[in-house]
């Protein structure tokens, strides 16, 4: 609770234009962060945090971001071997109650545990993870932006800035050999931010279909939120932006180069993965809302991805008229289709039958896509003379989201603002200034 005994956060820091903040590290001179250490043998114990007594070194581990940097040596394991995982969460003020709310941190812990196992790092308990998030937000509560405005016509909250939280787990010990780090660091830091795709909340993205470089392959770590998954996208992302695209849409390259014999188009048969830092959805002219399956182990199980799937299934009947409108405006017979929500292998050919495409992520929320296309490959470069080309512009998304995309975005923002709920959304919202147990269990009351 705050010093006045209420469950509400203090007001936002004065003289900060939260609404214009870029997607970046902002105001670090005003941050504090949490840092704990352990060894692989000890792991995280009740000395770090004891949920029964709500005590431990965690409660005294806060450091000033600007004046207390991490002490890293040249032989630090994570610097040499990339043993770092992280998560991304968002804290917003509710326009309904003014509470400081974190969205579905339970899912982030689930993914954090999976990542820790993949990187040979001891995973923190759910109780430790949640308490650390609660503490770092309470200590930085003045950086939580103001609540979003409400659209007077629709009653739906508009998008706004958020306080982004990044938990990290990394090998911080010194070593030269290729083995698990002798020391582990657990960190939680924050930054107030705007949208990931700054200025593109309504106008759609232009995506480059990347045919030459791979983000992930089967049997790798494409489904782990580790630093290496982002490092491999940086050069392709810069190249795509230089060609006028906003981001890359990656293929499972093995399905492109090793397409079945006799296939009329190898590229059309290739399986889609995701963007550099966002999942992708297609709204098909058949009424299907589809996203690439997690079963291949090559894409991240995004929290917003799971949220959209859940909302689309839970409120399928409410989406029906919106789907009919989307398909009819694209020249189809929308009255004869039913909304179907699925996860499956999505191929390049499916893009040609989509009436809407959008991407999802914690930082991006839901952003429409207006087109997907390849770029010209320089002659003589990596089979440039034989590579297939592809281009599609969708009926919706150029200047505004399509009807289904907009409806799903409204649903998401209504949940975030405590204006929409169901059994499926129970415990999605965690109140930062509630008790430790209430925050852990979720649900705003």
């Amino acid at each position: 609770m705050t010093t006045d005994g209420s469950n509400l956060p203090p007001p936002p820091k004065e003289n900060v234009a939260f609404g214009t903040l870029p997607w970046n590290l902002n105001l670090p001179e005003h941050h504090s962060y949490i840092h704990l250490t352990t060894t692989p043998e000890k792991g995280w114990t009740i000395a770090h945090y004891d949920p029964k007594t709500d005590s431990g070194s965690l409660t005294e581990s806060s450091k000033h971001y600007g004046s207390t940097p991490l002490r890293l040596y040249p032989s630090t394991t994570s610097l040499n071997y990339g043993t770092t995982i992280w998560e991304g969460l968002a804290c917003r003020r509710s326009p309904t109650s003014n509470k400081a709310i974190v969205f579905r941190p339970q899912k982030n812990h689930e993914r954090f545990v999976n990542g820790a196992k993949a990187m040979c790092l001891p995973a923190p308990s759910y109780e430790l993870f949640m308490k650390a998030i609660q503490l770092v937000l309470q200590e930085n509560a003045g950086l939580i932006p103001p609540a979003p405005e409400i659209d007077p016509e629709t009653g739906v909250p508009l998008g706004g800035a958020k306080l982004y939280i990044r938990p990290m787990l990394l090998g911080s010990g010194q070593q030269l050999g290729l083995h698990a780090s002798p020391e582990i660091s657990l960190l939680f830091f924050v930054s107030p931010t705007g949208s990931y795709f700054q200025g593109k909340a309504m106008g759609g993205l232009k995506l480059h279909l990347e045919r030459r470089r791979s983000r992930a392959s089967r049997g790798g770590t494409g489904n782990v939120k580790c630093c290496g998954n982002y490092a491999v996208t940086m050069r392709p992302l810069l190249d795509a932006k230089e060609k006028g695209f906003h981001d890359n849409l990656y293929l499972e390259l093995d399905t492109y180069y090793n397409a079945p014999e006799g296939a009329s188009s190898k590229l059309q048969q290739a399986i889609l993965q995701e963007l550099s830092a966002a999942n992708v959805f297609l709204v098909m002219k058949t009424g299907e809302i589809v996203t690439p399956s997690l079963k291949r182990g090559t894409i991240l199980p995004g929290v917003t991805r799971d949220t959209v799937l859940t909302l689309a299934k839970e409120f399928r009947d409410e989406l029906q008229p919106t789907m009919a409108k989307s398909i009819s405006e694209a020249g189809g017979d929308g009255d004869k289709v039913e909304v179907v929500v699925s996860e499956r292998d999505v191929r390049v050919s499916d893009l040609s039958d989509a009436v809407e495409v959008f991407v999802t992520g914690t930082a991006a929320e839901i952003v429409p896509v207006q087109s997907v296309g390849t770029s010209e490959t320089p002659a003589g470069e990596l089979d440039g003379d034989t590579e297939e080309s592809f281009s599609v512009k969708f009926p919706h998304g150029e200047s505004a989201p399509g009807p289904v995309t907009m409806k799903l975005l409204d649903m998401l923002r209504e949940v975030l603002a405590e204006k929409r709920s169901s059994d499926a959304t129970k415990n999605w919202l965690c109140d930062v200034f509630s008790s430790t147990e209430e925050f852990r269990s979720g649900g705003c009351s």
Side-chain angles (χ1 to χ4, degrees):
M1 290 189 178
T2 53
T3 53
D4 64 0
S6 73
N7 281 357
L8 299 181
K13 186 174 179 60
E14 294 181 352
N15 302 317
V16 176
F18 286 100
T20 63
L21 291 176
W23 171 251
N24 208 335
L25 181 69
N26 298 303
L27 309 174
E29 66 277 12
H30 299 294
H31 301 185
S32 62
Y33 72 98
I34 286 173
H35 183 195
L36 292 172
T37 61
T38 191
T39 64
E41 295 76 25
K42 291 181 180 178
W44 307 103
T45 69
I46 58 173
H48 295 102
Y49 179 65
D50 185 348
K52 292 182 179 179
T53 60
D54 196 30
S55 62
S57 60
L58 169 64
T59 61
E60 300 175 353
S61 64
S62 178
K63 305 176 187 300
H64 185 265
Y65 189 96
S67 61
T68 318
L70 294 179
R71 189 176 69 170
L72 298 176
Y73 293 93
S75 60
T76 297
T77 310
S78 58
L79 294 181
N80 288 269
Y81 299 117
T83 54
T84 302
I85 63 168
W86 54 273
E87 278 298 323
L89 305 89
C91 179
R92 301 170 175 86
R93 289 178 197 263
S94 166
T96 302
S97 65
N98 205 36
K99 292 177 180 178
I101 292 174
V102 183
F103 186 61
R104 303 191 73 185
Q106 306 93 334
K107 294 293 291 184
N108 294 94
H109 178 259
E110 180 183 309
R111 192 168 59 182
F112 206 58
V113 169
N114 292 337
K117 182 178 180 181
M119 294 290 112
C120 300
L121 302 167
S125 67
Y126 176 72
E127 293 79 8
L128 170 55
F129 183 84
M130 293 292 284
K131 183 64 178 181
I133 289 173
Q134 188 177 23
L135 283 176
V136 78
L137 287 172
Q138 288 177 351
E139 292 173 2
N140 292 280
L143 295 175
I144 303 172
E149 296 180 0
I150 303 294
D151 187 321
E153 294 185 4
T154 65
V156 175
L158 301 173
K162 60 189 78 73
L163 184 58
Y164 183 81
I165 314 108
R166 179 162 288 187
M168 297 179 69
L169 188 64
L170 57 97
S172 54
Q174 299 182 66
Q175 67 184 58
L176 193 59
L178 184 58
H179 52 80
S181 176
E183 180 187 87
I184 313 298
S185 282
L186 177 64
L187 301 114
F188 296 79
F189 75 94
V190 302
S191 178
T193 69
S195 172
Y196 180 78
F197 293 107
Q198 198 74 29
K200 298 304 297 181
M202 291 296 105
L205 303 174
K206 296 178 181 178
L207 298 183
H208 175 245
L209 192 63
E210 178 56 62
R211 297 162 297 173
R212 295 179 292 146
R213 290 171 291 193
S214 174
R215 176 195 164 272
S217 60
R218 300 192 77 177
T221 56
N223 59 350
V224 177
K225 203 169 180 68
C226 59
C227 62
N229 279 343
Y230 297 86
V232 298
T233 68
M234 285 187 181
R235 182 72 262 168
L237 179 59
L238 291 175
D239 291 345
K241 288 183 175 181
E242 287 178 358
K243 296 172 182 175
F245 298 95
H246 294 104
D247 206 336
N248 287 301
L249 177 56
Y250 286 93
L251 304 173
E252 189 169 306
L253 281 186
D254 183 62
T255 64
Y256 174 34
Y257 290 118
N258 299 312
E261 287 292 332
S264 58
S265 169
K266 293 198 302 180
L267 185 57
Q268 296 273 350
Q269 294 297 311
I271 292 175
L272 300 178
Q273 291 183 343
E274 61 177 309
L275 280 66
S276 303
N279 295 119
V280 66
F281 280 78
L282 282 65
V283 180
M284 309 300 291
K285 62 184 180 183
T286 59
E288 181 186 24
I289 300 173
V290 61
T291 191
S293 170
L294 300 177
K295 292 181 179 179
R296 303 182 75 86
T298 58
I299 64 173
L300 280 172
V303 176
T304 311
R305 173 191 179 277
D306 182 79
T307 298
V308 168
L309 287 169
T310 302
L311 292 176
K313 293 173 183 176
E314 181 74 0
F315 301 104
R316 191 192 322 255
D317 292 344
E318 190 177 339
L319 276 170
Q320 188 67 43
T322 309
M323 178 68 76
K325 178 182 179 182
S326 178
I327 293 171
S328 296
E329 289 180 351
D333 191 350
D335 294 330
K336 293 185 177 180
V337 301
E338 292 187 4
V339 175
V340 176
V341 184
S342 61
E343 301 171 72
R344 61 171 172 83
D345 289 344
V346 180
R347 300 183 184 275
V348 172
S349 59
D350 288 315
L351 292 169
S352 299
D353 292 325
V355 293
E356 299 180 40
V357 173
F358 60 88
V359 302
T360 62
T362 298
E365 289 189 339
I366 299 175
V367 179
V369 175
Q370 61 173 292
S371 63
V372 175
T374 55
S375 60
E376 186 175 342
T377 304
E381 228 183 74
L382 291 174
D383 298 322
D385 297 331
T386 60
E387 280 189 330
E388 295 180 58
S389 61
F390 179 85
S391 180
V392 59
K393 188 173 182 179
F394 305 109
H396 301 286
E398 180 175 7
S399 59
V404 175
T405 303
M406 194 69 239
K407 183 64 175 178
L408 287 167
L409 178 58
D410 286 349
M411 287 180 175
L412 172 61
R413 289 178 172 172
E414 286 169 349
V415 171
L416 292 171
E418 304 176 272
K419 290 180 175 291
R420 178 184 291 266
S421 63
S422 71
D423 288 343
T425 69
K426 186 179 180 181
N427 300 329
W428 278 11
L429 306 179
C430 297
D431 179 3
V432 173
F433 285 90
S434 62
S435 70
T436 299
E437 285 128 7
E438 289 172 329
F439 182 75
R440 273 204 303 258
S441 62
C444 289
S445 57

